[in-house]
Amino acid sequence: LLTAMRENAKMKATRVRYNVCGGSEKMQITIVDIAKELNVSHSTVSRVINNRTDRFISERTRQRVLDACRKMGYQPNTSARALVTGKTHRIGFWAPSLDIAFFQEVANTFRRLVRQSNYDLVTMEMGFEFTDSFRKGLSRSNVDGTLMYGSELGGLQDILETGFPGMAPVVNLGPLCKGRIDSVTIDLYDASRHAMEHLVQMGRQRIAHVLTDFTRNDQDDRYRAYGEVVGQAGREPEYIVVPHWSKPVVRQALCDYIRRNGCPDALFCANDTIAIGAYRGLLDLGLRVPADVALVGCDGIEDIEFLEIPLSTIAQPLDAMCRQAWQFLLRRMEKRDQAPQTAVLTANFIARRSSPLVL
């Protein structure tokens, strides 16, 4: 009887522990618990859970293990699995800002894709300037691979191409990607020219480009296309540089600019978040879109379709670029020494009610 009582106590101890407050909580089920339940070795359970092929494990045994995992509520210990397999089954997504709707949509698209391959996505914010702490964060992020949008903003791309100890494989994506590392480049130039020619065709005389300092450079497709089309049309270029691309900041900055300088009759915005802030600012001043001011954004986020006046935009191929980048990363994690993988995808101009050719 005493022996039976001791065995019963041991069984309970494997599943319950007491915290310092006096409460109790269930212990996490382990492969040892599953092995005992099925009367098989824990190595057999481990091989099944980690999808390892073994000719000595029958299909019946494999199914019994999987059924027991579901019934007993087994959750893999990712830290332990990483020690055994060398893989964390986590993928990092780095973006300049997770407050921007476009990057949120990119993150959500990646999350769906990586889950289909039994990975988890860890989203991280890198800011707009490269710092040493960011490099340390990248080397210690404990992921199997990294998807990165906009590394050129912080001057990080050269560092990625050189590499550093502890860096997981990286696939870079965005409008200014280079081809010396795995990259998916988004070509915004043709669509930007199309958008600008569209505004000229509308007969708009004073077309301003609303942007931040990060996109005011000759390598940016939007900036180049704007300058070229405005010059060819005989218009004077006009730049409204906002200190940040958050909607409240853009709203206030645009109102201040218009009060000082009068109002352009068309705005070409560097992204959709800027366009939404500009839209609100124009309404604050009693201006009508598009009768007084035509408005075009860039990125193609969902929010701009649900405004009272849906906004024209340059839509990035969100699903295609994320799928391509994820395929590149899967191949790179499988084979580290292959040649750089590169792809160039084009954006598309979508005209909506904020810039109709005929009012």
Side-chain angles (χ1 to χ4, degrees):
L1 179 61
L2 182 61
T3 301
M5 291 174 62
R6 285 174 178 169
E7 288 298 321
N8 187 44
K10 286 182 181 179
M11 291 290 289
K12 290 182 178 179
T14 62
R15 288 169 174 77
V16 178
R17 62 181 172 88
Y18 292 88
N19 59 32
V20 292
C21 298
S24 66
E25 58 184 65
K26 289 186 178 181
M27 286 285 285
Q28 183 174 0
I29 298 298
T30 69
I31 61 175
V32 174
D33 297 319
I34 296 171
K36 287 181 178 178
E37 182 73 19
L38 300 178
N39 195 28
V40 298
S41 69
H42 70 271
S43 60
T44 295
V45 177
S46 176
R47 287 186 175 90
V48 172
I49 290 173
N50 289 293
N51 294 319
R52 295 181 183 175
T53 58
D54 193 318
R55 62 191 180 92
F56 295 109
I57 299 177
S58 67
E59 185 57 36
R60 180 175 178 275
T61 298
R62 183 180 300 278
Q63 195 57 52
R64 286 181 65 216
V65 170
L66 295 176
D67 289 343
C69 287
R70 284 190 291 269
K71 290 177 182 177
M72 297 174 68
Y74 170 75
Q75 296 292 329
N77 185 319
T78 54
S79 298
R81 176 184 285 182
L83 289 173
V84 174
T85 65
K87 295 182 179 181
T88 65
H89 282 268
R90 294 191 298 184
I91 300 297
F93 171 62
W94 289 81
S97 172
L98 295 174
D99 293 330
I100 305 300
F102 175 69
F103 296 132
Q104 293 170 7
E105 291 188 9
V106 174
N108 287 335
T109 303
F110 275 136
R111 185 172 289 108
R112 289 193 295 270
L113 290 171
V114 303
R115 281 179 176 173
Q116 291 171 6
S117 300
N118 296 319
Y119 285 87
D120 291 321
L121 189 74
V122 180
T123 56
M124 296 161 280
E125 195 171 83
M126 64 186 178
F128 294 91
E129 292 184 3
F130 171 70
T131 62
D132 213 36
S133 61
F134 170 69
R135 177 164 62 177
K136 291 177 181 177
L138 186 61
S139 64
R140 297 172 184 172
S141 55
N142 197 27
V143 294
D144 295 333
T146 302
L147 299 154
M148 186 173 296
Y149 193 105
S151 66
E152 73 281 350
L153 294 177
L156 177 64
Q157 192 155 277
D158 291 338
I159 300 295
L160 294 177
E161 292 174 358
T162 303
F164 49 83
M167 188 179 83
V170 174
V171 174
N172 199 10
L173 62 157
L176 299 178
C177 290
K178 299 176 184 177
R180 286 182 288 171
I181 60 173
D182 294 340
S183 59
V184 179
T185 303
I186 312 304
D187 184 350
L188 301 176
Y189 178 77
D190 288 342
S192 297
R193 279 196 63 97
H194 188 183
M196 285 302 304
E197 290 165 353
H198 171 81
L199 294 174
V200 170
Q201 190 178 357
M202 288 181 67
R204 302 297 162 126
Q205 299 299 311
R206 187 180 167 189
I207 305 172
H209 189 15
V210 189
L211 71 170
T212 66
D213 280 329
F214 292 111
T215 54
R216 191 174 185 176
N217 68 79
D218 290 333
Q219 293 185 355
D220 187 274
D221 289 339
R222 294 156 290 190
Y223 183 79
R224 282 195 303 120
Y226 169 80
E228 290 173 6
V229 174
V230 165
Q232 292 165 4
R235 315 285 205 275
E236 284 294 323
E238 182 175 355
Y239 299 99
I240 303 176
V241 181
V242 295
H244 191 274
W245 56 16
S246 69
K247 293 186 288 291
V249 170
V250 173
R251 177 186 188 179
Q252 187 60 53
L254 183 65
C255 287
D256 293 342
Y257 180 91
I258 291 174
R259 291 189 183 105
R260 292 192 308 266
N261 304 284
C263 188
D265 57 6
L267 298 177
F268 174 48
C269 300
N271 63 45
D272 286 338
T273 299
I274 289 177
I276 294 173
Y279 176 83
R280 184 66 255 179
L282 293 171
L283 296 185
D284 290 344
L285 295 173
L287 295 166
R288 298 166 298 165
V289 177
D292 298 319
V293 184
L295 189 57
V296 174
C298 179
D299 285 339
I301 65 173
E302 185 179 61
D303 290 352
I304 60 171
E305 298 183 53
F306 292 88
L307 299 175
E308 184 177 357
I309 304 294
L311 302 187
S312 300
T313 189
I314 297 164
Q316 297 198 44
L318 179 64
D319 188 68
M321 76 179 186
C322 290
R323 287 184 181 279
Q324 185 67 77
W326 177 231
Q327 289 302 314
F328 280 175
L329 187 58
L330 284 172
R331 293 172 195 161
R332 178 61 59 189
M333 291 188 298
E334 184 70 24
K335 187 178 181 182
R336 294 288 191 101
D337 59 350
Q338 64 179 311
Q341 307 168 96
T342 61
V344 178
L345 304 179
T346 57
N348 180 46
F349 173 59
I350 301 174
R352 296 197 180 102
R353 288 174 55 198
S354 69
S355 65
L357 289 176
V358 179
L359 292 176

